[in-house]
Amino acid sequence: MALGGFYIWTFTYQLIRSSSLKFKALKTAEENEAFKGPNNDSETNEKSYLLDNNSQDQLPIRTTKTTENQTVEVSSWRKIVGMVHTILEELTAPPTLGAIVGFLFGSVTWLKNLVIGDAAPLRVIQDSVKLLGDGTIPCITLILGGNLTQGLRKAQVKPSTIIAVVCVRFIFSPLIGIGIVKTAANLGFLPADPLYHFVLMLQYTVPPAMNISTMTQLVDVAQEECSVLIMWTYLVAALALTIWSTVFMWLLS
């Protein structure tokens, strides 16, 4: 579960944030295009346009190729710098830093003894973190409920989209999970423990994480649509978990 939280707040959060930036840029471009007026430049006509094209065609070919190569190099360098910057942002995000610190204190014995336990000298840190952690679930539920109230009124989610998400989440994903777990067990990568295999298969059947609704709230994009999708997936999960748990136990018995 800790690894899952680490993955959600790194890859998933970055995916949602990048998609929100693209959506906002596209929306801004559409608004600018809608308010853009006609070109009233009196010095611009068809003749000047042809003259400009002819003047561009008369440029040396070697100069044009050199400029194109420099543009490609600059764009490639910018992509690399942007990728490194994105990775550093993900590693320095508060959830990522919290997960790294948690793994560090959990794996190192003497650090764990400083914080965890009744006799730990710094057990106040554990108590404070536990209080904050217990409050995150009600906060996420309130955020999801507030977005759902608005989503049921004005969210524009097509029924085909809801059906597609539910089918992928509760039909294709469990089938893929069965294949992966069975293959890994046959190759000897997993211990011969049916309960362990059952838990691994069950991970492919659970509904989406509620933290996704918090991420959409942070980036201020598609909060209502996300809340509606989560509502339907959790409603279907009540039936899907029961059915797939029965199937998993039948396969592992």
Side-chain angles (χ1 to χ4, degrees):
M1 293 179 65
L3 287 175
F6 181 81
Y7 173 81
I8 289 173
W9 283 102
T10 52
F11 176 77
T12 306
Y13 178 70
Q14 176 60 29
L15 182 64
I16 294 176
R17 187 176 63 173
S18 60
S19 300
S20 67
L21 292 176
K22 293 179 181 178
F23 175 78
K24 291 179 179 179
L26 181 61
K27 188 175 180 181
T28 302
E30 292 178 351
E31 292 177 354
N32 293 335
E33 188 69 21
F35 288 101
K36 185 178 180 181
N39 188 4
N40 296 324
D41 190 358
S42 59
E43 297 180 357
T44 303
N45 50 37
E46 296 179 356
K47 186 176 179 180
S48 63
Y49 176 75
L50 294 174
L51 289 174
D52 291 338
N53 288 339
N54 291 332
S55 61
Q56 291 178 0
D57 293 338
Q58 294 176 359
L59 292 175
I61 299 177
R62 182 177 300 175
T63 304
T64 305
K65 290 183 178 179
T66 304
T67 305
E68 290 179 355
N69 293 332
Q70 292 177 353
T71 303
V72 172
E73 292 178 359
V74 172
S75 61
S76 301
W77 176 250
R78 287 180 178 177
K79 289 181 179 179
I80 295 174
V81 173
M83 187 180 299
V84 174
H85 181 69
T86 301
I87 294 174
L88 291 177
E89 282 186 349
E90 292 182 358
L91 293 178
T92 55
T96 307
L97 292 177
I100 294 174
V101 173
F103 282 126
L104 180 64
F105 275 81
S107 58
V108 180
T109 304
W110 66 273
L111 289 176
K112 181 171 63 176
N113 293 332
L114 288 176
V115 179
I116 301 174
D118 296 334
L122 301 177
R123 63 182 181 274
V124 64
I125 297 177
Q126 181 191 6
D127 297 337
S128 301
V129 172
K130 187 176 183 301
L131 288 174
L132 293 175
D134 293 339
T136 55
I137 297 178
C139 291
I140 293 174
T141 306
L142 290 174
I143 292 174
L144 181 61
N147 292 333
L148 183 59
T149 302
Q150 299 178 1
L152 293 176
R153 298 175 181 175
K154 62 179 182 179
Q156 298 178 354
V157 183
K158 297 180 180 179
S160 58
T161 303
I162 298 175
I163 294 173
V165 171
V166 170
C167 290
V168 171
R169 183 69 257 182
F170 297 111
I171 296 178
F172 298 107
S173 181
L175 292 175
I176 294 173
I178 292 173
I180 293 175
V181 174
K182 285 290 186 181
T183 303
N186 294 331
L187 293 177
F189 292 110
L190 300 178
D193 188 355
L195 181 59
Y196 184 65
H197 297 178
F198 176 80
V199 173
L200 292 179
M201 292 181 182
L202 197 63
Q203 296 297 317
Y204 291 89
T205 318
V206 294
M210 294 177 63
N211 283 326
I212 297 178
S213 62
T214 306
M215 297 176 189
T216 57
Q217 185 70 36
L218 291 175
V219 299
D220 194 21
V221 169
Q223 304 96 312
E224 295 85 6
E225 289 79 5
C226 179
S227 63
V228 172
L229 290 174
I230 289 181
M231 181 193 71
W232 282 107
T233 52
Y234 272 80
L235 287 176
V236 178
L239 180 63
L241 281 173
T242 304
I243 295 174
W244 280 112
S245 298
T246 306
V247 174
F248 294 156
M249 287 188 289
W250 174 72
L251 291 174
L252 297 173
S253 60

